[in-house]
Amino acid sequence: MKKSVAIILTITMAGVLFVGCGKKTESSNSLQAVQKAGKLTIGLDDSYPPMEFRDSNDKLVGFDIDLGDAVAKKMGVKSEYITNDFNGMVLALGSSKFNVIISAMSITDDRKKSINFSDSYVMGGQVAIIKQGNTKINKIDDLKGKTVACQLGSTGDTAATAMKGLKEVKKYDKITDAYQDLSIGRVDAVVLDAQVGQYYVAKKPGEYKVLDEQISQEPIGIGFKKQDKELQVAVQKAIDELKADGTLSKLSQKWFGFDAYKK
């Protein structure tokens, strides 16, 4: 009798463990979770125009917003955006705060240790922007002895920190705050992505200038948790289709003023 009870309990426990493992495997499949929820949650920093920012009506807009909407539509789901400080974006992805990162994130070897990336959906790179009329700074080497601003945790941070001979590198949570200090003369230059620099120049003609010399070239991609292979494949398929059908060309013309995909 005791043996029978023991056997029954063993079988029951094995069944529970089997079901539990099955549920765990199913819940760890992000693509199925996205499809079941009917939405793709996207993490971003909402203060990086023209990639992602708030307009005068506090509406979330930008290249990455249009891209996220288009990717989600291709996948047959809706997009939902969750804001996060850029410096903590990778950690937030790891804790499942959102499904993917679409936030002008450069693909670097250091980041690839923690997350996976899609193929590059646009080529970025670091530049320095100064106030128009500043005749003392004409090239990158002229930044020696000067105070340079950047966004904390960004590749602009990496590039600025690596520059030799600077007086100081001031790091900000939001790139908009760095621009504010540039405009009032607290810093001499801001190091940031080329698209963002050109956006500010176009937005305020005569106020800012991008130095001709580029500090670096950096591919920008969508970030995924390491285990989310199926979700990564589905998103990559959507990006490839958006490139092929000309959608990304139209978005780059809309936000950058040129076709970033023209060969």
Side-chain angles (χ1 to χ4, degrees), residues 1 21 33 52 86 90 95 97 100 108 117 139 156 167 193 202:
M1 181 65 179
C21 289
E52 45 267 337
F86 191 84
V90 172
S95 66
K97 185 175 180 180
V100 299
T108 68
F117 282 97
K139 56 185 184 299
K167 179 181 179 181
D193 285 308

Side-chain angles (χ1 to χ4, degrees), residues 7 44 90 96 104 108 126-127 130 156-157 161-162 233 235:
I7 292 169
L44 53 76
V90 172
S96 300
T108 68
Q126 298 304 305
V127 297
I130 62 173
D157 182 349
T161 302
V233 169
V235 170

Side-chain angles (χ1 to χ4, degrees), residues 2-3 20 35 54 151 153 155 179 224-225 244 254:
K2 287 181 180 179
K3 280 187 177 180
Q35 292 169 335
R54 301 278 176 181
Q151 184 178 33
T155 46
Y179 263 98
F224 305 86
K225 285 187 289 186
K254 173 183 176 180

Side-chain angles (χ1 to χ4, degrees), residues 84-217:
N84 199 87
D85 283 344
F86 191 84
N87 194 42
M89 199 71 70
V90 172
L91 287 175
L93 175 67
S95 66
S96 300
K97 185 175 180 180
F98 34 74
N99 300 126
V100 299
I101 298 171
I102 306 182
S103 191
M105 181 167 277
S106 297
I107 302 170
T108 68
D109 289 338
D110 188 52
R111 287 175 179 154
K112 285 194 286 187
K113 293 174 185 176
S114 303
I115 62 175
N116 286 343
F117 282 97
S118 67
D119 294 343
S120 173
Y121 63 83
V122 69
M123 181 60 70
Q126 298 304 305
V127 297
I129 188 168
I130 62 173
K131 289 187 72 173
Q132 188 71 261
N134 185 338
T135 58
K136 295 181 179 180
I137 302 175
N138 298 293
K139 56 185 184 299
I140 298 299
D141 195 55
D142 293 336
L143 293 174
K144 289 179 179 178
K146 304 295 192 297
T147 300
V148 172
C150 60
Q151 184 178 33
L152 181 66
S154 68
T155 46
D157 182 349
T158 303
T161 302
M163 295 171 72
K164 305 295 184 182
L166 298 181
K167 179 181 179 181
E168 184 183 1
V169 176
K170 299 187 81 170
K171 304 181 182 186
Y172 300 78
D173 288 331
K174 297 183 182 297
I175 200 67
T176 46
D177 293 336
Y179 263 98
Q180 177 63 25
D181 273 7
L182 176 63
S183 69
I184 62 178
R186 285 181 179 169
V187 300
D188 299 296
V190 178
V191 174
L192 74 174
D193 285 308
Q195 290 94 336
V196 182
Q198 294 293 354
Y199 171 82
Y200 272 97
V201 169
K203 185 179 180 182
K204 295 187 176 182
E207 186 168 346
Y208 301 114
K209 174 186 176 182
V210 176
L211 297 184
D212 292 335
E213 186 181 355
Q214 193 159 335
I215 299 170
S216 66
Q217 283 198 333

Side-chain angles (χ1 to χ4, degrees), residues 217-231:
Q217 283 198 333
E218 300 166 2
I220 293 173
I222 296 175
F224 305 86
K225 285 187 289 186
K226 288 283 189 180
Q227 65 266 34
D228 290 347
K229 303 290 187 182
E230 291 185 21
L231 178 61

Side-chain angles (χ1 to χ4, degrees), residues 56-94:
S56 57
N57 296 315
D58 200 38
K59 181 183 178 183
L60 195 56
V61 296
F63 180 91
D64 282 341
I65 308 305
D66 288 350
L67 171 64
D69 290 346
V71 166
K73 186 176 180 180
K74 285 282 187 183
M75 294 174 64
V77 298
K78 293 182 179 180
S79 55
E80 180 180 310
Y81 297 93
I82 299 172
T83 58
N84 199 87
D85 283 344
F86 191 84
N87 194 42
M89 199 71 70
V90 172
L91 287 175
L93 175 67

